[in-house]
Amino acid sequence: MINLRFVHRLLFLTAIYIFLPPTAARGGHSDYINPGYGNFSFHGIARNLFAQEELRPSLELTRGYMTNDDLEKAMKDFTKRCSKISRLYSIGKSVNGFPLWVIEISDRPGEIEAEPAFKYIGNVHGDEPVGRELLIRLANWICDNYKKDPLAQMIVENVHLHILPSLNPDGFSIRKRNNANDVDLNRDFPDQFSPVNDDLSLRQPETRAIMTWLRDTRFTASATLHGGALVANFPWDGTEDRRKYYYGCPDDEAYRFLARIYSKSHRNMSLSKEFKEGITNGASWYPIYGGMQDWNYIYGGCFELTLEISDNKWPRAPELPTIWDYNRKSMLNLVASIVKTGVHGRIFSLDQGKPLPGLVVVKGINYTVKAHQEYADYHRLLAPGQIYEGIRLSSYHHSIIPGIQAENSKCLVR
């Protein structure tokens, strides 16, 4: 029998919530598209969530946005300018062969460390391009400020941040929602309630790239940036009986906490009259099946939010600086939250002092977080304000943490 030594950190949440006077959400209209069972009304707003055909944005409206070639050049230029804290790599190619480029930001890019990883993904839908613009701005802001801004410095030194500005470059190039095969990428993932989606041979190349990415890289948390509303959406995205109602996942409290971090740090998301606190459970608002968010949590071990960041799916380019200003603090605070809160540590054998791969289980939450196979580090996100009894299991033995107390803005072992 191998004796175990558990080294853990319980960290303080210092994410800054910004409360400012009410202001109308950016953009002049909302476009809501849904997966499939007709129209319904939510808080008085009709949503054609299952519409297949949409009006394509005019060519004039696209002026001022980066083309795919512009975006590729911007990413390559960024990693040259900020080479000490970044690298550029591709996770695959789109249907039409365009590379799915990713920027990694860290003080040790490309290396495996006992640190949490976070990913941002934009442009899942081709006609929702705001995310790709904001993600390039985020990367540049961190590069310009990490030596002088504590939050930027903390992210660079304690997180591996991966930024994929465009998952759907083909859809963007033709100004349509779906990819070049006319498939909605946010309906293409294996789903707990849709066995038909389990046929991996039918996955789109962009979907397969994401799935392979998560097999190769262990992400603690993630967010995708969408347009057409202003709200932070969390799992579950669907229900077993395909009806529309609140259906929370095992980590519902932690997800609500993460969603509030984004909403309350935003210029006006939390002031929404439609969504209380600017957050929503996906199944209660906009049920979908085959979505990336639920798949990340179930199969990828990654806490993912779906962030609707602009009422207007394709606002005019002069609005982008304002939208960036409204979202900047939210985007930074969400990344910082995976370091500043929860339970973090490593598992070692006492006799040899070697890292041991294992599992982290919290009593009362039907979800398991895996420690890293090589470094045995774990990063278990938990909502403050509750007492948790944690059970950590290694490959050879198990040990019980007597109690974990998370209060308001801090976590304490007692």
Side-chain angles (χ1 to χ4, degrees):
M1 182 178 295
I2 299 177
N3 293 320
L4 302 180
R5 174 165 59 95
F6 296 91
V7 180
H8 57 265
R9 296 176 291 134
L10 292 161
L11 299 171
F12 298 86
L13 177 72
T14 57
I16 301 172
Y17 289 168
I18 299 177
F19 296 93
L20 296 171
T23 303
R26 300 305 304 169
H29 68 279
S30 300
D31 296 311
Y32 296 97
I33 300 161
N34 129 332
Y37 298 93
N39 302 335
F40 64 90
S41 177
F42 182 85
H43 293 293
I45 298 178
R47 303 186 185 282
N48 297 313
L49 297 184
F50 294 89
Q52 297 299 313
E53 297 295 332
E54 306 170 56
L55 291 176
R56 188 186 297 188
S58 68
L59 199 57
E60 173 68 24
L61 195 61
T62 68
R63 291 186 179 179
Y65 282 83
M66 290 180 290
T67 65
N68 288 331
D69 288 338
D70 292 337
L71 178 61
E72 182 179 56
K73 183 178 184 302
M75 296 178 74
K76 290 180 178 179
D77 289 346
F78 171 85
T79 49
K80 290 179 182 178
R81 182 172 74 89
C82 308
S83 59
K84 292 184 178 180
I85 63 163
S86 69
R87 72 177 177 113
L88 182 68
Y89 67 100
S90 172
I91 62 169
K93 292 184 178 181
S94 68
V95 172
N96 289 337
F98 199 88
L100 302 176
W101 292 113
V102 176
I103 291 173
E104 180 188 5
I105 296 177
S106 167
D107 58 349
R108 299 177 67 180
E111 299 183 31
I112 299 176
E113 296 185 272
E115 293 181 351
F118 187 102
K119 61 180 166 69
Y120 269 123
I121 300 175
N123 205 199
V124 176
H125 294 133
D127 61 349
E128 298 173 13
V130 173
R132 56 192 267 152
E133 298 283 338
L134 265 57
L135 288 174
I136 287 296
R137 292 172 186 258
L138 174 66
N140 280 299
W141 188 92
I142 292 174
C143 179
D144 293 339
N145 291 277
Y146 81 96
K147 290 185 177 180
K148 56 187 178 183
D149 183 272
L151 187 57
Q153 182 179 10
M154 188 276 294
I155 290 173
V156 170
E157 294 179 353
N158 296 280
V159 178
H160 283 259
L161 173 60
H162 299 253
I163 297 174
L164 170 58
S166 181
L167 178 61
N168 189 2
D170 298 345
F172 172 82
S173 67
I174 59 175
R175 311 189 303 284
K176 295 192 71 173
R177 176 184 180 88
N178 296 346
N179 75 346
N181 287 334
D182 200 24
V183 172
D184 187 332
L185 297 177
N186 205 34
R187 308 293 186 274
D188 193 46
F189 286 83
D191 189 280
Q192 60 182 327
F193 303 127
S194 299
V196 67
N197 278 335
D198 290 340
D199 187 348
L200 295 179
S201 66
L202 299 179
R203 302 280 74 76
Q204 294 299 301
E206 298 91 345
T207 309
R208 291 197 301 267
I210 294 293
M211 296 172 72
T212 302
W213 193 21
L214 265 75
R215 284 200 297 265
D216 296 340
T217 305
R218 186 192 55 159
F219 291 101
T220 300
S222 172
T224 58
L225 305 184
H226 292 256
L230 196 63
V231 66
N233 181 98
F234 53 89
W236 297 124
D237 264 337
T239 61
E240 190 169 7
D241 59 10
R242 298 297 182 107
R243 297 174 62 190
K244 177 174 167 286
Y245 52 87
Y246 193 112
Y247 196 45
C249 71
D251 279 290
D252 188 60
E253 288 299 320
Y255 263 111
R256 291 177 65 87
F257 173 68
L258 293 172
R260 288 192 194 100
I261 287 177
Y262 198 93
S263 174
K264 293 181 182 295
S265 300
H266 189 276
R267 174 64 171 80
N268 57 10
M269 186 179 287
S270 66
L271 304 176
S272 172
K273 294 181 180 179
E274 182 177 358
F275 304 101
K276 185 178 180 181
E277 299 184 290
I279 67 174
T280 187
N281 170 261
S284 70
W285 170 52
Y286 180 161
I288 71 168
Y289 300 88
M292 190 189 305
Q293 176 177 262
D294 287 6
W295 179 85
N296 265 265
Y297 180 68
I298 296 172
Y299 300 100
C302 174
F303 285 52
E304 179 162 293
L305 294 176
T306 301
L307 302 173
E308 302 281 352
I309 58 173
S310 172
D311 270 344
N312 192 338
K313 291 170 66 174
W314 203 311
R316 296 189 180 276
E319 294 187 54
L320 291 173
T322 300
I323 298 174
W324 160 243
D325 184 57
Y326 281 18
N327 284 274
R328 177 178 60 84
K329 184 62 70 173
S330 296
M331 296 172 77
L332 292 166
N333 280 344
L334 185 59
V335 177
S337 70
I338 69 170
V339 175
K340 294 182 176 181
T341 190
V343 184
H344 305 259
R346 300 178 70 184
I347 305 173
F348 296 91
S349 63
L350 278 176
D351 51 355
Q352 297 180 346
K354 293 183 178 180
L356 293 176
L359 307 173
V360 180
V361 180
V362 178
K363 185 177 181 180
I365 301 178
N366 185 25
Y367 189 76
T368 299
V369 172
K370 294 182 180 179
H372 191 272
Q373 189 73 18
E374 181 178 353
Y375 284 87
D377 61 303
Y378 56 86
H379 309 278
R380 202 339 172 168
L381 301 181
L382 294 168
Q386 300 186 37
I387 296 176
Y388 302 92
E389 181 179 343
I391 306 173
R392 291 181 294 180
L393 308 175
S394 84
S395 300
Y396 308 99
H397 194 58
H398 73 272
S399 177
I400 299 178
I401 308 173
I404 300 172
Q405 182 178 4
E407 301 176 328
N408 298 328
S409 63
K410 60 183 179 181
C411 297
L412 301 172
V413 172
R414 53 170 238 174

